[in-house]
Amino acid sequence: DSGVTQTPKHLITATGQRVTLRCSPRSGDLSVYWYQQSLDQGLQFLIQYYNGEERAKGNILERFSAQQFPDLHSELNLSSLELGDSALYFCASSGSGTSLKGAFFGQGTRLTVV
Amino acid sequence: AQKVTQAQTEISVVEKEDVTLDCVYETRDTTYYLFWYKQPPSGELVFLIRRNSFDEQNEISGRYSWNFQKSTSSFNFTITASQVVDSAVYFCALSEVSGANSKLTFGKGITLSVRP
C-alpha cells in the first residue's frame, strides 16, 4: 500500500460530460502530481501542486484542471470529455517538493468515455 | 529536455531465466534521480527503486539488481531466476531536481512475460 488514495477506481461516462477524480496524498506529503497513462501516449505528466499552489504543468489539456485543497487532497477535473480521454489517471505524492524523495502512486482511476 | 528510452518493448522468458531490462536516459542536469516501477496486470504502479545521480554503486535487493552507469547514461535492471509473478510492465523514469519541479519522465515501458 503506497499510502496514496485515489477515488473512484473506475469511471464510465459519456462524451461531453464532466468528471472529477480525487486523490489523497500520503500523510505529510505536500506535493501531488497527476499523470495520464494512455495506449498511444504512454505515461505523461499532467500537473503538479505543492501545498495548494500549482507548481508545474505538463501536457494538460485546457479542458482539464486541477486544484489542491487546504487538507492537501487534490482533484482533477476533466470536462467536455472525448473518447480519446479514456485512460488510466494516476496521482502521486512526494515529500517537501524541493527534492523528490520517492514518488508513490495511487492505484489509479480508470476512465472510460463512451 | 529529458528523455528515457526503453528500446525493448516485449521480452518473454521461461521461469528461472535471468533477464535484463535496459534503460537509457538523456538529461542536461547534473543532479537527477532515476527510478524503476513495476505495473502488474492489476494496473497499479509499484515503486521499485530510486537512485540519485551521485551514487553509481550497484544495488541488489533479493532477485533484483540495478546497474547504473553514468558514462553510458544507462540504468539497467536485472531479475535473477525470474518467476511468473514477475510478469508485468516495467517502467524506467527520470526526474530532475530543480526547485519544486520534480515531475517524472517515463520510458514507454517493457512488457515482461515469464512462462512457467
Side-chain angles (χ1 to χ4, degrees):
Chain A
D1 183 2
S2 68
V4 179
T5 304
Q6 285 187 251
T7 56
K9 286 193 170 52
H10 300 277
L11 200 48
I12 301 175
T13 190
T15 54
Q17 295 298 305
R18 173 188 167 96
V19 297
T20 297
L21 313 184
R22 183 188 168 104
C23 169
S24 294
R26 292 186 310 165
S27 177
D29 283 355
L30 299 179
S31 270
V32 169
Y33 307 77
W34 286 97
Y35 291 83
Q36 179 194 58
Q37 184 179 25
S38 61
L39 282 175
D40 51 345
Q41 298 291 332
L43 264 164
Q44 286 200 104
F45 168 71
L46 294 178
I47 196 163
Q48 177 202 358
Y49 275 81
Y50 173 71
N51 202 20
E53 293 186 4
E54 181 185 304
R55 277 301 173 94
K57 249 182 175 176
N59 299 323
I60 188 166
L61 300 172
E62 284 192 14
R63 300 183 285 109
F64 295 1
S65 64
Q67 53 185 327
Q68 187 178 29
F69 295 86
D71 67 351
L72 300 178
H73 91 270
S74 177
E75 293 181 356
L76 179 67
N77 300 295
L78 314 176
S79 61
S80 303
L81 285 167
E82 302 174 359
L83 295 178
D85 298 327
S86 295
L88 195 48
Y89 291 84
F90 285 104
C91 165
S93 74
S94 71
S96 69
T98 56
S99 68
L100 187 63
K101 294 179 176 58
F104 293 90
F105 285 76
Q107 297 217 323
T109 293
R110 186 171 296 280
L111 173 66
T112 303
V113 182
V114 298
Chain B
Q2 299 187 321
K3 186 177 177 182
V4 175
T5 302
Q6 296 182 262
Q8 305 151 309
T9 53
E10 293 184 20
I11 300 175
S12 182
V13 299
V14 176
E15 212 170 13
K16 296 183 185 171
E17 280 186 34
D18 298 348
V19 57
T20 294
L21 311 181
D22 298 334
C23 173
V24 174
Y25 63 91
E26 295 174 32
T27 180
R28 292 182 186 160
D29 297 328
T30 53
T31 304
Y32 50 89
Y33 289 95
L34 294 162
F35 298 78
W36 275 95
Y37 287 88
K38 174 182 180 180
Q39 187 174 40
S42 50
E44 72 270 25
L45 281 168
V46 179
F47 170 81
L48 295 178
I49 190 172
R50 180 193 68 135
R51 171 67 74 218
N52 77 53
S53 52
F54 294 112
D55 182 2
E56 288 193 67
Q57 195 169 14
N58 291 333
E59 179 152 344
I60 298 174
S61 175
R63 297 184 296 106
Y64 295 171
S65 63
W66 290 269
N67 180 269
F68 176 29
Q69 292 202 344
K70 221 167 172 178
S71 59
T72 55
S73 297
S74 66
F75 186 44
N76 297 336
F77 174 29
T78 297
I79 302 175
T80 303
S82 59
Q83 300 177 1
V84 173
V85 293
D86 296 326
S87 296
V89 182
Y90 290 86
F91 291 94
C92 180
L94 169 68
S95 82
E96 60 191 28
V97 182
S98 58
N101 181 7
S102 299
K103 67 176 178 70
L104 291 170
T105 298
F106 285 88
K108 295 285 188 188
I110 302 169
T111 300
L112 174 65
S113 299
V114 182
R115 310 187 305 276

PDB file of all heavy atoms in Angstrom, chain B residues 3-11 20-26 36 73-77 89-93 106-112:
ATOM      1  N   LYS B   3      14.722  12.734 -21.498  1.00  0.00           N
ATOM      2  CA  LYS B   3      14.173  11.638 -22.291  1.00  0.00           C
ATOM      3  C   LYS B   3      14.623  10.304 -21.707  1.00  0.00           C
ATOM      4  O   LYS B   3      15.753  10.176 -21.234  1.00  0.00           O
ATOM      5  CB  LYS B   3      14.672  11.753 -23.737  1.00  0.00           C
ATOM      6  CG  LYS B   3      14.048  10.756 -24.694  1.00  0.00           C
ATOM      7  CD  LYS B   3      14.548  10.987 -26.106  1.00  0.00           C
ATOM      8  CE  LYS B   3      13.994   9.963 -27.064  1.00  0.00           C
ATOM      9  NZ  LYS B   3      14.517  10.142 -28.436  1.00  0.00           N
ATOM     10  N   VAL B   4      13.717   9.345 -21.722  1.00  0.00           N
ATOM     11  CA  VAL B   4      14.040   7.990 -21.267  1.00  0.00           C
ATOM     12  C   VAL B   4      13.672   7.032 -22.380  1.00  0.00           C
ATOM     13  O   VAL B   4      12.553   7.054 -22.889  1.00  0.00           O
ATOM     14  CB  VAL B   4      13.256   7.640 -19.991  1.00  0.00           C
ATOM     15  CG1 VAL B   4      13.516   6.195 -19.593  1.00  0.00           C
ATOM     16  CG2 VAL B   4      13.634   8.585 -18.863  1.00  0.00           C
ATOM     17  N   THR B   5      14.636   6.193 -22.747  1.00  0.00           N
ATOM     18  CA  THR B   5      14.419   5.243 -23.831  1.00  0.00           C
ATOM     19  C   THR B   5      14.507   3.816 -23.303  1.00  0.00           C
ATOM     20  O   THR B   5      15.515   3.419 -22.711  1.00  0.00           O
ATOM     21  CB  THR B   5      15.448   5.440 -24.955  1.00  0.00           C
ATOM     22  OG1 THR B   5      15.356   6.779 -25.450  1.00  0.00           O
ATOM     23  CG2 THR B   5      15.187   4.471 -26.095  1.00  0.00           C
ATOM     24  N   GLN B   6      13.454   3.091 -23.510  1.00  0.00           N
ATOM     25  CA  GLN B   6      13.441   1.661 -23.207  1.00  0.00           C
ATOM     26  C   GLN B   6      13.247   0.966 -24.553  1.00  0.00           C
ATOM     27  O   GLN B   6      12.129   0.841 -25.049  1.00  0.00           O
ATOM     28  CB  GLN B   6      12.319   1.322 -22.222  1.00  0.00           C
ATOM     29  CG  GLN B   6      12.503   1.979 -20.866  1.00  0.00           C
ATOM     30  CD  GLN B   6      11.411   1.599 -19.885  1.00  0.00           C
ATOM     31  OE1 GLN B   6      10.443   2.332 -19.683  1.00  0.00           O
ATOM     32  NE2 GLN B   6      11.572   0.450 -19.250  1.00  0.00           N
ATOM     33  N   ALA B   7      14.352   0.591 -25.154  1.00  0.00           N
ATOM     34  CA  ALA B   7      14.314   0.101 -26.531  1.00  0.00           C
ATOM     35  C   ALA B   7      13.581  -1.232 -26.655  1.00  0.00           C
ATOM     36  O   ALA B   7      12.936  -1.512 -27.661  1.00  0.00           O
ATOM     37  CB  ALA B   7      15.728  -0.020 -27.072  1.00  0.00           C
ATOM     38  N   GLN B   8      13.685  -2.056 -25.629  1.00  0.00           N
ATOM     39  CA  GLN B   8      12.968  -3.331 -25.649  1.00  0.00           C
ATOM     40  C   GLN B   8      11.486  -3.048 -25.368  1.00  0.00           C
ATOM     41  O   GLN B   8      11.155  -2.320 -24.455  1.00  0.00           O
ATOM     42  CB  GLN B   8      13.514  -4.265 -24.559  1.00  0.00           C
ATOM     43  CG  GLN B   8      15.004  -4.509 -24.611  1.00  0.00           C
ATOM     44  CD  GLN B   8      15.567  -4.798 -23.222  1.00  0.00           C
ATOM     45  OE1 GLN B   8      15.322  -4.037 -22.282  1.00  0.00           O
ATOM     46  NE2 GLN B   8      16.322  -5.882 -23.083  1.00  0.00           N
ATOM     47  N   THR B   9      10.610  -3.597 -26.150  1.00  0.00           N
ATOM     48  CA  THR B   9       9.184  -3.383 -25.898  1.00  0.00           C
ATOM     49  C   THR B   9       8.564  -4.599 -25.213  1.00  0.00           C
ATOM     50  O   THR B   9       7.762  -4.454 -24.287  1.00  0.00           O
ATOM     51  CB  THR B   9       8.415  -3.080 -27.188  1.00  0.00           C
ATOM     52  OG1 THR B   9       8.703  -4.113 -28.141  1.00  0.00           O
ATOM     53  CG2 THR B   9       8.832  -1.744 -27.775  1.00  0.00           C
ATOM     54  N   GLU B  10       8.956  -5.787 -25.667  1.00  0.00           N
ATOM     55  CA  GLU B  10       8.422  -7.011 -25.070  1.00  0.00           C
ATOM     56  C   GLU B  10       9.538  -8.032 -24.916  1.00  0.00           C
ATOM     57  O   GLU B  10      10.354  -8.209 -25.822  1.00  0.00           O
ATOM     58  CB  GLU B  10       7.315  -7.606 -25.947  1.00  0.00           C
ATOM     59  CG  GLU B  10       6.064  -6.761 -26.031  1.00  0.00           C
ATOM     60  CD  GLU B  10       4.970  -7.439 -26.824  1.00  0.00           C
ATOM     61  OE1 GLU B  10       5.019  -8.669 -26.979  1.00  0.00           O
ATOM     62  OE2 GLU B  10       4.053  -6.745 -27.296  1.00  0.00           O
ATOM     63  N   ILE B  11       9.555  -8.675 -23.764  1.00  0.00           N
ATOM     64  CA  ILE B  11      10.520  -9.747 -23.519  1.00  0.00           C
ATOM     65  C   ILE B  11       9.754 -10.940 -22.962  1.00  0.00           C
ATOM     66  O   ILE B  11       8.907 -10.775 -22.074  1.00  0.00           O
ATOM     67  CB  ILE B  11      11.597  -9.312 -22.509  1.00  0.00           C
ATOM     68  CG1 ILE B  11      12.377  -8.106 -23.020  1.00  0.00           C
ATOM     69  CG2 ILE B  11      12.543 -10.474 -22.210  1.00  0.00           C
ATOM     70  CD1 ILE B  11      13.384  -7.560 -22.013  1.00  0.00           C
ATOM     71  N   THR B  20      17.441  -9.038 -18.276  1.00  0.00           N
ATOM     72  CA  THR B  20      17.883  -7.662 -18.051  1.00  0.00           C
ATOM     73  C   THR B  20      17.028  -6.717 -18.877  1.00  0.00           C
ATOM     74  O   THR B  20      16.854  -6.909 -20.086  1.00  0.00           O
ATOM     75  CB  THR B  20      19.368  -7.484 -18.418  1.00  0.00           C
ATOM     76  OG1 THR B  20      20.156  -8.266 -17.517  1.00  0.00           O
ATOM     77  CG2 THR B  20      19.777  -6.020 -18.277  1.00  0.00           C
ATOM     78  N   LEU B  21      16.509  -5.712 -18.200  1.00  0.00           N
ATOM     79  CA  LEU B  21      15.702  -4.682 -18.845  1.00  0.00           C
ATOM     80  C   LEU B  21      16.567  -3.430 -18.980  1.00  0.00           C
ATOM     81  O   LEU B  21      17.122  -2.949 -18.000  1.00  0.00           O
ATOM     82  CB  LEU B  21      14.457  -4.380 -18.005  1.00  0.00           C
ATOM     83  CG  LEU B  21      13.641  -5.601 -17.547  1.00  0.00           C
ATOM     84  CD1 LEU B  21      12.420  -5.154 -16.750  1.00  0.00           C
ATOM     85  CD2 LEU B  21      13.238  -6.455 -18.728  1.00  0.00           C
ATOM     86  N   ASP B  22      16.655  -2.914 -20.186  1.00  0.00           N
ATOM     87  CA  ASP B  22      17.551  -1.794 -20.448  1.00  0.00           C
ATOM     88  C   ASP B  22      16.836  -0.453 -20.325  1.00  0.00           C
ATOM     89  O   ASP B  22      15.653  -0.321 -20.654  1.00  0.00           O
ATOM     90  CB  ASP B  22      18.143  -1.909 -21.864  1.00  0.00           C
ATOM     91  CG  ASP B  22      18.981  -3.167 -22.040  1.00  0.00           C
ATOM     92  OD1 ASP B  22      19.512  -3.681 -21.036  1.00  0.00           O
ATOM     93  OD2 ASP B  22      19.104  -3.622 -23.195  1.00  0.00           O
ATOM     94  N   CYS B  23      17.601   0.531 -19.898  1.00  0.00           N
ATOM     95  CA  CYS B  23      17.083   1.894 -19.795  1.00  0.00           C
ATOM     96  C   CYS B  23      18.210   2.865 -20.106  1.00  0.00           C
ATOM     97  O   CYS B  23      19.268   2.801 -19.483  1.00  0.00           O
ATOM     98  CB  CYS B  23      16.543   2.152 -18.389  1.00  0.00           C
ATOM     99  SG  CYS B  23      16.044   3.864 -18.089  1.00  0.00           S
ATOM    100  N   VAL B  24      17.978   3.734 -21.051  1.00  0.00           N
ATOM    101  CA  VAL B  24      18.941   4.783 -21.392  1.00  0.00           C
ATOM    102  C   VAL B  24      18.250   6.122 -21.233  1.00  0.00           C
ATOM    103  O   VAL B  24      17.089   6.276 -21.619  1.00  0.00           O
ATOM    104  CB  VAL B  24      19.442   4.601 -22.848  1.00  0.00           C
ATOM    105  CG1 VAL B  24      20.317   5.777 -23.253  1.00  0.00           C
ATOM    106  CG2 VAL B  24      20.212   3.298 -22.988  1.00  0.00           C
ATOM    107  N   TYR B  25      18.937   7.077 -20.651  1.00  0.00           N
ATOM    108  CA  TYR B  25      18.304   8.361 -20.382  1.00  0.00           C
ATOM    109  C   TYR B  25      19.119   9.516 -20.940  1.00  0.00           C
ATOM    110  O   TYR B  25      20.316   9.374 -21.213  1.00  0.00           O
ATOM    111  CB  TYR B  25      18.082   8.534 -18.870  1.00  0.00           C
ATOM    112  CG  TYR B  25      19.369   8.567 -18.079  1.00  0.00           C
ATOM    113  CD1 TYR B  25      20.009   9.775 -17.807  1.00  0.00           C
ATOM    114  CD2 TYR B  25      19.950   7.391 -17.626  1.00  0.00           C
ATOM    115  CE1 TYR B  25      21.196   9.790 -17.104  1.00  0.00           C
ATOM    116  CE2 TYR B  25      21.132   7.401 -16.917  1.00  0.00           C
ATOM    117  CZ  TYR B  25      21.756   8.607 -16.668  1.00  0.00           C
ATOM    118  OH  TYR B  25      22.936   8.623 -15.967  1.00  0.00           O
ATOM    119  N   GLU B  26      18.457  10.650 -21.096  1.00  0.00           N
ATOM    120  CA  GLU B  26      19.117  11.880 -21.532  1.00  0.00           C
ATOM    121  C   GLU B  26      18.666  13.000 -20.627  1.00  0.00           C
ATOM    122  O   GLU B  26      17.461  13.178 -20.389  1.00  0.00           O
ATOM    123  CB  GLU B  26      18.720  12.251 -22.970  1.00  0.00           C
ATOM    124  CG  GLU B  26      19.166  11.272 -24.041  1.00  0.00           C
ATOM    125  CD  GLU B  26      18.605  11.652 -25.407  1.00  0.00           C
ATOM    126  OE1 GLU B  26      18.429  12.857 -25.669  1.00  0.00           O
ATOM    127  OE2 GLU B  26      18.334  10.734 -26.200  1.00  0.00           O
ATOM    128  N   TRP B  36      12.783   2.900 -11.169  1.00  0.00           N
ATOM    129  CA  TRP B  36      12.113   1.796 -11.855  1.00  0.00           C
ATOM    130  C   TRP B  36      10.785   1.542 -11.136  1.00  0.00           C
ATOM    131  O   TRP B  36      10.729   1.544  -9.904  1.00  0.00           O
ATOM    132  CB  TRP B  36      12.937   0.517 -11.833  1.00  0.00           C
ATOM    133  CG  TRP B  36      13.952   0.449 -12.935  1.00  0.00           C
ATOM    134  CD1 TRP B  36      15.261   0.810 -12.873  1.00  0.00           C
ATOM    135  CD2 TRP B  36      13.739  -0.031 -14.262  1.00  0.00           C
ATOM    136  NE1 TRP B  36      15.862   0.606 -14.086  1.00  0.00           N
ATOM    137  CE2 TRP B  36      14.965   0.090 -14.949  1.00  0.00           C
ATOM    138  CE3 TRP B  36      12.634  -0.558 -14.936  1.00  0.00           C
ATOM    139  CZ2 TRP B  36      15.111  -0.295 -16.285  1.00  0.00           C
ATOM    140  CZ3 TRP B  36      12.769  -0.935 -16.250  1.00  0.00           C
ATOM    141  CH2 TRP B  36      14.006  -0.815 -16.923  1.00  0.00           C
ATOM    142  N   SER B  73      25.000   6.631 -19.616  1.00  0.00           N
ATOM    143  CA  SER B  73      23.634   7.102 -19.316  1.00  0.00           C
ATOM    144  C   SER B  73      22.648   5.937 -19.300  1.00  0.00           C
ATOM    145  O   SER B  73      21.590   5.960 -19.950  1.00  0.00           O
ATOM    146  CB  SER B  73      23.179   8.147 -20.344  1.00  0.00           C
ATOM    147  OG  SER B  73      23.992   9.287 -20.286  1.00  0.00           O
ATOM    148  N   SER B  74      23.015   4.912 -18.586  1.00  0.00           N
ATOM    149  CA  SER B  74      22.145   3.737 -18.539  1.00  0.00           C
ATOM    150  C   SER B  74      21.846   3.336 -17.100  1.00  0.00           C
ATOM    151  O   SER B  74      22.656   3.549 -16.192  1.00  0.00           O
ATOM    152  CB  SER B  74      22.772   2.575 -19.297  1.00  0.00           C
ATOM    153  OG  SER B  74      23.949   2.145 -18.662  1.00  0.00           O
ATOM    154  N   PHE B  75      20.690   2.781 -16.917  1.00  0.00           N
ATOM    155  CA  PHE B  75      20.256   2.323 -15.592  1.00  0.00           C
ATOM    156  C   PHE B  75      19.469   1.034 -15.809  1.00  0.00           C
ATOM    157  O   PHE B  75      18.245   1.033 -15.875  1.00  0.00           O
ATOM    158  CB  PHE B  75      19.406   3.403 -14.922  1.00  0.00           C
ATOM    159  CG  PHE B  75      19.028   3.100 -13.497  1.00  0.00           C
ATOM    160  CD1 PHE B  75      19.941   2.597 -12.585  1.00  0.00           C
ATOM    161  CD2 PHE B  75      17.734   3.364 -13.052  1.00  0.00           C
ATOM    162  CE1 PHE B  75      19.592   2.338 -11.267  1.00  0.00           C
ATOM    163  CE2 PHE B  75      17.370   3.114 -11.728  1.00  0.00           C
ATOM    164  CZ  PHE B  75      18.299   2.603 -10.839  1.00  0.00           C
ATOM    165  N   ASN B  76      20.204  -0.064 -15.920  1.00  0.00           N
ATOM    166  CA  ASN B  76      19.599  -1.339 -16.289  1.00  0.00           C
ATOM    167  C   ASN B  76      19.166  -2.142 -15.079  1.00  0.00           C
ATOM    168  O   ASN B  76      19.764  -2.048 -14.004  1.00  0.00           O
ATOM    169  CB  ASN B  76      20.564  -2.156 -17.139  1.00  0.00           C
ATOM    170  CG  ASN B  76      20.891  -1.476 -18.449  1.00  0.00           C
ATOM    171  OD1 ASN B  76      20.124  -0.661 -18.946  1.00  0.00           O
ATOM    172  ND2 ASN B  76      22.047  -1.800 -19.010  1.00  0.00           N
ATOM    173  N   PHE B  77      18.163  -2.949 -15.284  1.00  0.00           N
ATOM    174  CA  PHE B  77      17.502  -3.701 -14.218  1.00  0.00           C
ATOM    175  C   PHE B  77      17.547  -5.185 -14.560  1.00  0.00           C
ATOM    176  O   PHE B  77      17.118  -5.568 -15.650  1.00  0.00           O
ATOM    177  CB  PHE B  77      16.061  -3.194 -14.120  1.00  0.00           C
ATOM    178  CG  PHE B  77      15.156  -3.936 -13.186  1.00  0.00           C
ATOM    179  CD1 PHE B  77      15.628  -4.592 -12.057  1.00  0.00           C
ATOM    180  CD2 PHE B  77      13.790  -3.948 -13.431  1.00  0.00           C
ATOM    181  CE1 PHE B  77      14.770  -5.254 -11.200  1.00  0.00           C
ATOM    182  CE2 PHE B  77      12.915  -4.603 -12.569  1.00  0.00           C
ATOM    183  CZ  PHE B  77      13.408  -5.255 -11.459  1.00  0.00           C
ATOM    184  N   VAL B  89       4.564  -4.922 -16.696  1.00  0.00           N
ATOM    185  CA  VAL B  89       5.218  -3.892 -17.492  1.00  0.00           C
ATOM    186  C   VAL B  89       6.146  -3.133 -16.555  1.00  0.00           C
ATOM    187  O   VAL B  89       5.746  -2.759 -15.439  1.00  0.00           O
ATOM    188  CB  VAL B  89       4.204  -2.918 -18.126  1.00  0.00           C
ATOM    189  CG1 VAL B  89       4.925  -1.882 -18.979  1.00  0.00           C
ATOM    190  CG2 VAL B  89       3.192  -3.686 -18.971  1.00  0.00           C
ATOM    191  N   TYR B  90       7.368  -2.916 -16.988  1.00  0.00           N
ATOM    192  CA  TYR B  90       8.357  -2.247 -16.170  1.00  0.00           C
ATOM    193  C   TYR B  90       8.719  -0.906 -16.818  1.00  0.00           C
ATOM    194  O   TYR B  90       9.043  -0.836 -18.006  1.00  0.00           O
ATOM    195  CB  TYR B  90       9.610  -3.110 -16.014  1.00  0.00           C
ATOM    196  CG  TYR B  90       9.356  -4.326 -15.149  1.00  0.00           C
ATOM    197  CD1 TYR B  90       8.840  -5.496 -15.697  1.00  0.00           C
ATOM    198  CD2 TYR B  90       9.598  -4.281 -13.781  1.00  0.00           C
ATOM    199  CE1 TYR B  90       8.585  -6.605 -14.906  1.00  0.00           C
ATOM    200  CE2 TYR B  90       9.342  -5.386 -12.975  1.00  0.00           C
ATOM    201  CZ  TYR B  90       8.833  -6.544 -13.550  1.00  0.00           C
ATOM    202  OH  TYR B  90       8.571  -7.638 -12.761  1.00  0.00           O
ATOM    203  N   PHE B  91       8.665   0.124 -15.990  1.00  0.00           N
ATOM    204  CA  PHE B  91       8.958   1.471 -16.462  1.00  0.00           C
ATOM    205  C   PHE B  91      10.210   1.999 -15.789  1.00  0.00           C
ATOM    206  O   PHE B  91      10.375   1.886 -14.570  1.00  0.00           O
ATOM    207  CB  PHE B  91       7.804   2.424 -16.139  1.00  0.00           C
ATOM    208  CG  PHE B  91       6.553   2.164 -16.921  1.00  0.00           C
ATOM    209  CD1 PHE B  91       5.547   1.362 -16.395  1.00  0.00           C
ATOM    210  CD2 PHE B  91       6.374   2.710 -18.191  1.00  0.00           C
ATOM    211  CE1 PHE B  91       4.387   1.128 -17.106  1.00  0.00           C
ATOM    212  CE2 PHE B  91       5.219   2.470 -18.902  1.00  0.00           C
ATOM    213  CZ  PHE B  91       4.223   1.672 -18.365  1.00  0.00           C
ATOM    214  N   CYS B  92      11.037   2.626 -16.589  1.00  0.00           N
ATOM    215  CA  CYS B  92      12.165   3.396 -16.088  1.00  0.00           C
ATOM    216  C   CYS B  92      11.742   4.863 -16.149  1.00  0.00           C
ATOM    217  O   CYS B  92      11.007   5.271 -17.070  1.00  0.00           O
ATOM    218  CB  CYS B  92      13.371   3.136 -16.995  1.00  0.00           C
ATOM    219  SG  CYS B  92      14.882   4.006 -16.545  1.00  0.00           S
ATOM    220  N   ALA B  93      12.162   5.652 -15.176  1.00  0.00           N
ATOM    221  CA  ALA B  93      11.760   7.055 -15.152  1.00  0.00           C
ATOM    222  C   ALA B  93      12.899   7.919 -14.641  1.00  0.00           C
ATOM    223  O   ALA B  93      13.793   7.451 -13.934  1.00  0.00           O
ATOM    224  CB  ALA B  93      10.511   7.242 -14.279  1.00  0.00           C
ATOM    225  N   PHE B 106       8.803   9.300 -18.031  1.00  0.00           N
ATOM    226  CA  PHE B 106       8.809   7.842 -18.137  1.00  0.00           C
ATOM    227  C   PHE B 106       9.238   7.372 -19.516  1.00  0.00           C
ATOM    228  O   PHE B 106       9.002   8.033 -20.530  1.00  0.00           O
ATOM    229  CB  PHE B 106       7.401   7.288 -17.877  1.00  0.00           C
ATOM    230  CG  PHE B 106       6.986   7.311 -16.435  1.00  0.00           C
ATOM    231  CD1 PHE B 106       6.373   8.416 -15.893  1.00  0.00           C
ATOM    232  CD2 PHE B 106       7.204   6.198 -15.637  1.00  0.00           C
ATOM    233  CE1 PHE B 106       5.977   8.432 -14.567  1.00  0.00           C
ATOM    234  CE2 PHE B 106       6.820   6.193 -14.311  1.00  0.00           C
ATOM    235  CZ  PHE B 106       6.203   7.321 -13.779  1.00  0.00           C
ATOM    236  N   GLY B 107       9.845   6.178 -19.539  1.00  0.00           N
ATOM    237  CA  GLY B 107      10.019   5.481 -20.797  1.00  0.00           C
ATOM    238  C   GLY B 107       8.702   4.845 -21.206  1.00  0.00           C
ATOM    239  O   GLY B 107       7.707   4.930 -20.473  1.00  0.00           O
ATOM    240  N   LYS B 108       8.717   4.188 -22.345  1.00  0.00           N
ATOM    241  CA  LYS B 108       7.477   3.595 -22.872  1.00  0.00           C
ATOM    242  C   LYS B 108       7.108   2.284 -22.163  1.00  0.00           C
ATOM    243  O   LYS B 108       6.009   1.781 -22.320  1.00  0.00           O
ATOM    244  CB  LYS B 108       7.622   3.301 -24.370  1.00  0.00           C
ATOM    245  CG  LYS B 108       7.795   4.539 -25.214  1.00  0.00           C
ATOM    246  CD  LYS B 108       6.496   5.280 -25.366  1.00  0.00           C
ATOM    247  CE  LYS B 108       6.623   6.419 -26.368  1.00  0.00           C
ATOM    248  NZ  LYS B 108       5.430   7.272 -26.408  1.00  0.00           N
ATOM    249  N   GLY B 109       8.040   1.739 -21.426  1.00  0.00           N
ATOM    250  CA  GLY B 109       7.769   0.510 -20.696  1.00  0.00           C
ATOM    251  C   GLY B 109       8.175  -0.736 -21.460  1.00  0.00           C
ATOM    252  O   GLY B 109       8.221  -0.747 -22.699  1.00  0.00           O
ATOM    253  N   ILE B 110       8.505  -1.773 -20.694  1.00  0.00           N
ATOM    254  CA  ILE B 110       8.871  -3.076 -21.263  1.00  0.00           C
ATOM    255  C   ILE B 110       7.911  -4.110 -20.687  1.00  0.00           C
ATOM    256  O   ILE B 110       7.784  -4.230 -19.453  1.00  0.00           O
ATOM    257  CB  ILE B 110      10.322  -3.471 -20.890  1.00  0.00           C
ATOM    258  CG1 ILE B 110      11.300  -2.408 -21.369  1.00  0.00           C
ATOM    259  CG2 ILE B 110      10.671  -4.840 -21.451  1.00  0.00           C
ATOM    260  CD1 ILE B 110      12.707  -2.579 -20.821  1.00  0.00           C
ATOM    261  N   THR B 111       7.244  -4.829 -21.565  1.00  0.00           N
ATOM    262  CA  THR B 111       6.334  -5.882 -21.109  1.00  0.00           C
ATOM    263  C   THR B 111       7.123  -7.176 -20.955  1.00  0.00           C
ATOM    264  O   THR B 111       7.658  -7.704 -21.931  1.00  0.00           O
ATOM    265  CB  THR B 111       5.186  -6.084 -22.114  1.00  0.00           C
ATOM    266  OG1 THR B 111       4.464  -4.855 -22.248  1.00  0.00           O
ATOM    267  CG2 THR B 111       4.246  -7.177 -21.622  1.00  0.00           C
ATOM    268  N   LEU B 112       7.188  -7.642 -19.736  1.00  0.00           N
ATOM    269  CA  LEU B 112       7.915  -8.880 -19.446  1.00  0.00           C
ATOM    270  C   LEU B 112       6.911 -10.001 -19.211  1.00  0.00           C
ATOM    271  O   LEU B 112       6.018  -9.879 -18.373  1.00  0.00           O
ATOM    272  CB  LEU B 112       8.800  -8.703 -18.211  1.00  0.00           C
ATOM    273  CG  LEU B 112       9.497  -9.969 -17.713  1.00  0.00           C
ATOM    274  CD1 LEU B 112      10.501 -10.480 -18.743  1.00  0.00           C
ATOM    275  CD2 LEU B 112      10.201  -9.716 -16.376  1.00  0.00           C
TER     276      LEU B 112
END
